[in-house]
Amino acid sequence: MGIKILPFSGPSLVLGLMLGAILLADVTRAEQPSGALSSIKPERWLAHKVYDKPGAQYVIFGDKIFINRWWTQGAPPNRSPAWREVKASDVVPVWRPDTHFAAGDTVLYDDKIWIAQRASLGDLPSQSRAWQGVNDEPSPAPARVRLPKQRKADQNEKQRVHTASDPDITLYDATASYAGGDVVDFNGTFYRARWWSLGDTPSIDYVWEELGDDPRGDKRD
């Protein structure tokens, strides 16, 4: 019986096996779901943070992702050679409605990077508060409304007139004790002590009865 000679032998056989392994690896990667979560979780770049793990720390700066080349701190990724820009799709998974995402996870959706603000499943990044785009600013806090205050000069004048006409009326002193019936001036408003008091704030504590602008008001409970 003769020996059948294989079409590949020696170096050709080795080369063929290597090419087959490469093709098999490509097919395996192609079969993986595009939305599979990556172990890489880029975080927003922080100027005060020390990045001391070269080639292992990914950050989000603007709408791009960078990886550190060497130890760095305070150097903006878009202007420093310590950082190298990487393709977002290489490190960030594509958002999928059937995938669970934890707070801090990053995804790609509509060609934009989104960061999960809380655990999410099925929340569309562009329509849910569970996600925030990397360039989106947080909603501003409601503006504080400042109520008009009486001018300090008017308060001082009122205090001067009443205290001059009745020396028993004094400005409230948190360290002083007051007996029932004592009248004080607190921030331009007069209060009368219902009973003995020490350290009770006139505008807060029930021990004080508000008299308004009249230090001798007859308002009683």
Side-chain angles (χ1 to χ4, degrees):
M1 177 182 293
I3 299 176
K4 187 176 181 180
I5 304 298
L6 294 174
F8 298 100
S9 62
S12 298
L13 178 59
V14 174
L15 181 60
L17 292 175
M18 292 176 62
L19 290 174
I22 294 173
L23 291 174
L24 179 61
D26 289 340
V27 171
T28 303
R29 283 195 296 266
E31 291 176 349
Q32 293 178 348
S34 60
L37 283 175
S38 170
S39 59
I40 300 173
K41 291 187 177 182
E43 301 178 348
R44 290 184 185 273
W45 177 78
L46 300 173
H48 67 272
K49 183 174 180 178
V50 174
Y51 297 93
D52 55 359
K53 299 177 181 178
Q57 291 174 288
Y58 293 81
V59 298
I60 300 171
F61 187 83
D63 58 352
K64 295 179 173 59
I65 294 180
F66 298 82
I67 185 172
N68 62 327
R69 287 190 170 106
W70 51 76
W71 188 101
T72 180
Q73 180 184 20
N78 64 337
R79 292 185 295 175
S80 171
W83 295 95
R84 176 175 62 85
E85 183 181 348
V86 297
K87 191 176 180 181
S89 58
D90 290 342
V91 294
V92 178
V94 175
W95 177 83
R96 292 170 59 97
D98 58 349
T99 300
H100 287 272
F101 296 98
D105 283 346
T106 53
V107 298
L108 280 177
Y109 178 77
D110 197 20
D111 295 326
K112 184 176 180 179
I113 302 173
W114 301 79
I115 302 176
Q117 304 301 296
R118 57 174 173 79
S120 172
L121 173 63
D123 301 303
L124 199 64
S126 60
Q127 299 179 9
S128 172
R129 292 185 178 179
W131 295 94
Q132 182 180 348
V134 294
N135 284 335
D136 294 344
E137 294 293 334
S139 299
R144 297 181 62 182
V145 178
R146 295 183 177 273
L147 298 177
K149 295 182 179 180
Q150 186 178 12
R151 291 185 305 170
K152 190 66 177 178
D154 292 342
Q155 294 181 358
N156 291 339
E157 178 63 18
K158 181 173 62 176
Q159 293 168 0
R160 185 190 65 78
V161 171
H162 288 297
T163 54
S165 61
D166 192 338
D168 292 335
I169 300 175
T170 60
L171 296 178
Y172 172 75
D173 183 355
T175 63
S177 62
Y178 298 93
D182 285 347
V183 177
V184 298
D185 186 322
F186 182 74
N187 290 340
T189 301
F190 297 100
Y191 295 83
R192 178 165 48 217
R194 290 187 168 93
W195 51 78
W196 185 91
S197 171
L198 172 63
D200 302 300
T201 304
S203 62
I204 299 176
D205 295 299
Y206 181 73
V207 65
W208 291 99
E209 173 191 8
E210 182 177 344
L211 302 177
D213 294 336
D214 184 2
R216 291 304 176 191
D218 295 328
K219 180 180 177 182
R220 302 279 185 178
D221 288 344

